[in-house]
Amino acid sequence: MKKLVTFFSVEYGSTRKIANALANKLNADIFEIIPATPYTKADINWRNPLSRCNKEFFGKKEVPVDIKVENMEEYDTIYVGFPIWYGCAPLVVNSFLKSYNLEGKKIYIFATSGGSGIGKTAQKLEPYVKGATIVDARMVQTEKDAEDYAKN
């Protein structure tokens, strides 16, 4: 059973730290989801109605990913991590997931947030992981949380 921890992280790197802790605990490979055009601090300022993140979210824009996992077919379990944006995964995560055939794979979702809960994030991701099973989705805010999540 080969495992992959994928993650998208910006600004503070909280999701990156959690992803690294989770990958270490699971003895899994790790892959960072990077948009083709990386985000700047101004791009993710959701308080500015003209910021990139607002334009993408409200315009339901596709956010291209810079590189792909070359051997995705080798993994049967995939952990997907990201900060909660607008009560769901950032659109770059949707773009990443829908670019693969994930049929038959187990998906575990972990999210970080400064104040939001996980909400219906798993249900919102279902269209992008067709044929896969979302096993669990939870907030993972600390490295200790990541260790506990790895025990699943």
Side-chain angles (χ1 to χ4, degrees), residues 47-125:
R47 290 182 178 101
N48 176 355
L50 300 177
S51 69
R52 176 179 166 192
C53 66
N54 280 322
K55 288 178 182 178
E56 288 172 352
F57 180 75
F58 293 109
K60 298 187 185 340
K61 295 190 177 208
E62 182 78 18
V63 181
V65 177
D66 188 34
I67 57 174
K68 290 183 73 168
V69 176
E70 291 181 23
N71 53 344
M72 185 63 90
E73 68 281 351
E74 294 179 10
Y75 300 99
D76 55 4
T77 304
I78 302 168
Y79 288 77
V80 183
F82 47 83
I84 295 289
W85 286 9
Y86 307 96
C88 56
L91 296 180
V92 69
V93 173
N94 300 352
S95 298
F96 171 80
L97 291 170
K98 78 178 193 177
S99 69
Y100 298 96
N101 176 359
L102 300 174
E103 191 166 334
K105 298 186 185 302
K106 293 179 185 174
I107 308 290
Y108 289 83
I109 298 166
F110 63 99
T112 58
S113 175
S116 301
I118 195 83
K120 295 184 178 186
T121 301
Q123 294 93 322
K124 291 176 182 177
L125 280 176

